[in-house]
Amino acid sequence: MYKKIFSILFISICLNHSQVKAQEKLYQEKYRPQYHFSPKINWTNDPNGLVYVKGVYHLFYQFNPFENTWGHMTWGHATSKDLIHWQHQPIAIPELKDTMIFSGTCIYDQNNSTGLGTKQKPPMVAIYTGHIENVKQAQHLAYSVDDGKTWTKYNKNPILDLGKKDFRDPKVFWFAPKKYWVMCVNLPLEHQVQFYSSKNLLEWKFLSDFGPLGDTTGVWECPDLVQIPVLNSKEKKWLLQVSMSEKMQYFMGEFDGEKFMLDPHQNSILRPDAGPDYYAGISYNQLPANHLPVTIAWANNWSYARKIPTSPWKGAMSLPRNSWAQNINGQWQLIQKPMASLNSLRKKIAFQKAAVELKDQTIALSAIGILSDVYECDFEITSTSTEKTGISVLNDDFRGVEIGYEPQLKKIFINRSKTNASFDPSFSDIRYFTAPLNTNSDKIKFRVFVDNSIVEVFVNDGESVFTVQAFPVHSDKNIKILNTSSPGSVKNLQIYPLQSIW
Ligand code: FRU
């Protein structure tokens, strides 16, 4: 064990040295997102342990300290005061001998119910899956009495063990009406979420399970249960999300502290994101009472995640999103908007054409003072259009990511089929994404966030969202307007350059 700890320390010292040298280049690499979180170097996948403690948002994440590919899973750590600007922190929880630190949750044990801190210094508690390759997965605990800086693994781990090879990704939250902690955790192969309760975070009692239901074509991972407000109402709904191989799905219903009850009107598979690059999303724990719920996901896809052409890092997080429930066509559905504070990254408006119908033209970003593919582009399309209408971003010789409305199908679409897939053929297999248009209004509103290799699209104030990666070989640095005829062209186009957070 000491050998491993020593080698981790040695490697991180060496990295620090080479990082200092390369400092001015870090975060300026081709494809590096400028306002999405990514680690300085090496591989990341799921966000872990999202928790708000004493004015600080913590983001832990699956991290490989040694290489730019999956392995040696460890919890990396970053903190933020606004969920937009991040400070990197030292590694939080390194792997232990043959036990990797898989995904999990973090809570502030304010009343020291674990007894692992003191009344004066209550502990932060991380509960994660200890993974022994091909042997076992069980739930483990680590704690910190210095606000997340250093962590100690509990000496009686594991705290929840079914003796199974697949049993992972705990999410724990405080359920006030019953005055206990609730854990949801997945039985991936059974396509089930299990619920447990505990008074002290150490001993857990089985409550119930949910599933199989909805999409069961892959293993279930990373469950998340959170209460969210109903849009424009005082009512609340419970949102249960699970990740499944490459996609996420959600269930809306009620939770009484013991059982999750699916809303009887949910009769189809619902997805929080209609794009290919949104996975393992979880919500923040212990936000202040008046704070909107916030979710962050991994903006990537297991099919090609190991091959994306980025270095010296691989993997980034989605933008933080606020969520609401809304009853649309008789079903409770998820509404998601990017955190309003993201607007603070807008520099002044670079381009605005209100009421002018734009058709079949190219806007050179440099001509409007934007020097990189780091911007927000908002526009509208009228749903009376008769042909495919929209814009294309991150263009190069291969062509870009097309975003728009397909009137024949009455669907919003994203098409990245013509983008560079030279790094992995499976990237071009996953290429065309649609979401139904729910609104009856004849205006379809788009907010498009372009960040070098990530595009996040919020349609009609969050009725549907798409997260898509693309890797142009030599970006043309322009936006193309796709349609050629009226009516139904692109209107009210506004483009804002966004500041880098790094
Ligand atoms: C989801 C996942 C989790 C697991 C982690 C390992 O992306 O497979 O189920 O805990 O990644 O890195």
Side-chain angles (χ1 to χ4, degrees):
M1 175 177 100
Y2 293 109
K3 238 169 141 186
K4 173 106 329 128
I5 292 175
F6 179 74
S7 64
I8 291 180
L9 279 175
F10 181 72
I11 287 178
S12 49
I13 289 164
C14 294
L15 286 175
N16 278 340
H17 272 289
S18 51
Q19 273 163 18
V20 172
K21 271 195 176 163
Q23 198 70 46
E24 66 282 25
K25 298 248 172 67
L26 266 186
Y27 287 96
Q28 288 172 30
E29 305 92 344
K30 190 176 183 185
Y31 305 134
R32 175 75 92 165
Q34 294 299 309
Y35 54 91
H36 288 78
F37 174 85
S38 60
K40 276 189 191 164
I41 55 162
N42 289 359
W43 169 277
T44 187
N45 53 290
D46 315 353
N48 295 150
L50 304 183
V51 66
Y52 180 78
V53 184
K54 299 187 216 162
V56 175
Y57 298 92
H58 293 262
L59 162 64
F60 300 89
Y61 52 90
Q62 288 285 280
F63 182 60
N64 183 345
F66 303 104
E67 278 178 285
N68 197 13
T69 188
W70 188 87
H72 300 284
M73 296 328 288
T74 290
W75 276 27
H77 186 199
T79 52
S80 172
K81 290 266 163 119
D82 60 2
L83 281 171
I84 295 169
H85 299 88
W86 295 97
Q87 279 79 51
H88 294 291
Q89 302 295 343
I91 280 173
I93 314 178
E95 71 175 330
L96 174 71
K97 281 189 282 183
D98 54 353
T99 309
M100 290 199 231
I101 314 300
F102 268 24
S103 287
T105 190
C106 201
I107 45 260
Y108 182 42
D109 180 20
Q110 215 154 353
N111 299 324
N112 192 29
S113 64
T114 49
L116 294 169
T118 57
K119 279 261 162 342
Q120 293 70 37
K121 277 195 173 182
M124 274 174 79
V125 171
I127 299 183
Y128 56 88
T129 300
H131 168 87
I132 305 174
E133 192 75 356
N134 294 323
V135 177
K136 195 156 85 170
Q137 293 183 339
Q139 312 327 316
H140 291 227
L141 186 148
Y143 58 97
S144 166
V145 287
D146 57 6
D147 297 325
K149 287 188 198 75
T150 57
W151 291 82
T152 307
K153 293 184 180 92
Y154 181 48
N155 59 12
K156 295 199 187 101
N157 275 336
I159 53 161
L160 182 59
D161 183 3
L162 305 183
K164 278 184 165 282
K165 201 157 91 42
D166 287 275
F167 178 41
R168 61 179 175 273
D169 306 337
K171 164 77 191 231
V172 172
F173 61 92
W174 179 248
F175 189 76
K178 299 246 183 201
K179 297 200 176 63
Y180 59 46
W181 301 98
V182 170
M183 178 195 292
C184 34
V185 55
N186 271 351
L187 292 177
L189 307 180
E190 291 87 340
H191 316 290
Q192 279 186 325
V193 184
Q194 292 199 319
F195 298 97
Y196 292 82
S197 71
S198 174
K199 291 269 182 198
N200 62 4
L201 294 165
L202 303 171
E203 291 134 276
W204 292 90
K205 183 176 148 242
F206 176 76
L207 294 171
S208 65
D209 46 37
F210 174 81
L213 211 73
D215 191 345
T216 56
T217 55
V219 292
W220 279 23
E221 304 183 308
C222 302
D224 186 72
L225 180 63
V226 62
Q227 203 175 24
I228 61 171
V230 171
L231 198 67
N232 304 324
S233 144
K234 292 225 157 61
E235 228 188 302
K236 292 193 165 184
K237 285 275 149 199
W238 284 88
L239 168 72
L240 177 63
Q241 306 203 68
V242 292
S243 294
M244 210 208 61
S245 301
E246 289 135 29
K247 289 187 185 136
M248 289 187 65
Q249 64 176 328
Y250 69 85
F251 303 94
M252 205 75 90
E254 300 301 332
F255 182 69
D256 62 4
E258 295 189 8
K259 221 176 166 10
F260 177 80
M261 288 143 294
L262 181 68
D263 188 273
H265 302 290
Q266 178 166 342
N267 52 22
S268 57
I269 293 170
L270 299 173
R271 310 239 182 243
D273 195 290
D277 291 307
Y278 188 82
Y279 198 72
I282 53 168
S283 61
Y284 262 89
N285 269 335
Q286 294 169 314
L287 291 170
N290 56 354
H291 200 302
L292 286 165
V294 179
T295 302
I296 295 180
W298 178 43
N300 212 340
N301 183 311
W302 277 117
S303 307
Y304 44 74
R306 290 174 180 85
K307 302 256 188 72
I308 58 171
T310 66
S311 170
W313 85 104
K314 260 190 213 344
M317 299 303 156
S318 72
L319 293 175
R321 299 177 182 179
N322 292 136
S323 23
W324 294 263
Q326 189 178 21
N327 199 303
I328 301 175
N329 305 330
Q331 280 201 90
W332 286 104
Q333 296 193 36
L334 185 57
I335 301 292
Q336 297 168 98
K337 299 183 195 181
M339 295 258 312
S341 47
L342 261 172
N343 289 354
S344 67
L345 293 181
R346 286 176 175 178
K347 299 182 196 165
K348 56 178 193 286
I349 197 155
F351 181 91
Q352 184 168 34
K353 280 271 183 320
V356 176
E357 299 214 332
L358 299 166
K359 275 178 277 170
D360 201 18
Q361 58 176 276
T362 297
I363 299 165
L365 292 173
S366 61
I368 56 170
I370 298 181
L371 303 177
S372 55
D373 284 309
V374 182
Y375 58 89
E376 175 187 346
C377 172
D378 303 348
F379 62 95
E380 289 170 11
I381 295 175
T382 39
S383 53
T384 49
S385 68
T386 49
E387 65 168 343
K388 258 192 177 187
T389 303
I391 66 168
S392 165
V393 298
L394 294 181
N395 301 290
D396 68 357
D397 295 343
F398 288 92
R399 310 271 299 276
V401 178
E402 299 176 352
I403 303 157
Y405 177 60
E406 162 73 273
Q408 263 77 42
L409 303 174
K410 278 197 166 307
K411 283 191 166 169
I412 312 295
F413 74 92
I414 308 279
N415 180 6
R416 72 164 181 205
S417 64
K418 297 164 196 153
T419 68
N420 168 27
S422 55
F423 53 93
D424 184 2
S426 78
F427 191 76
S428 51
D429 295 342
I430 304 172
R431 56 181 175 235
Y432 194 83
F433 320 100
T434 61
L437 181 68
N438 287 320
T439 175
N440 290 324
S441 140
D442 61 356
K443 245 196 310 181
I444 311 167
K445 291 190 277 179
F446 289 79
R447 281 188 80 185
V448 178
F449 291 88
V450 179
D451 196 3
N452 280 335
S453 53
I454 302 179
V455 182
E456 265 182 88
V457 182
F458 294 80
V459 186
N460 281 338
D461 297 317
E463 249 183 48
S464 54
V465 188
F466 299 74
T467 307
V468 194
Q469 293 182 98
F471 302 93
V473 177
H474 298 292
S475 163
D476 294 350
K477 307 241 171 350
N478 62 38
I479 296 176
K480 286 186 188 148
I481 312 289
L482 295 176
N483 57 312
T484 50
S485 69
S486 227
S489 42
V490 166
K491 260 196 194 163
N492 282 334
L493 186 75
Q494 300 185 350
I495 307 170
Y496 302 87
L498 297 181
Q499 263 151 35
S500 174
I501 60 169
W502 303 112

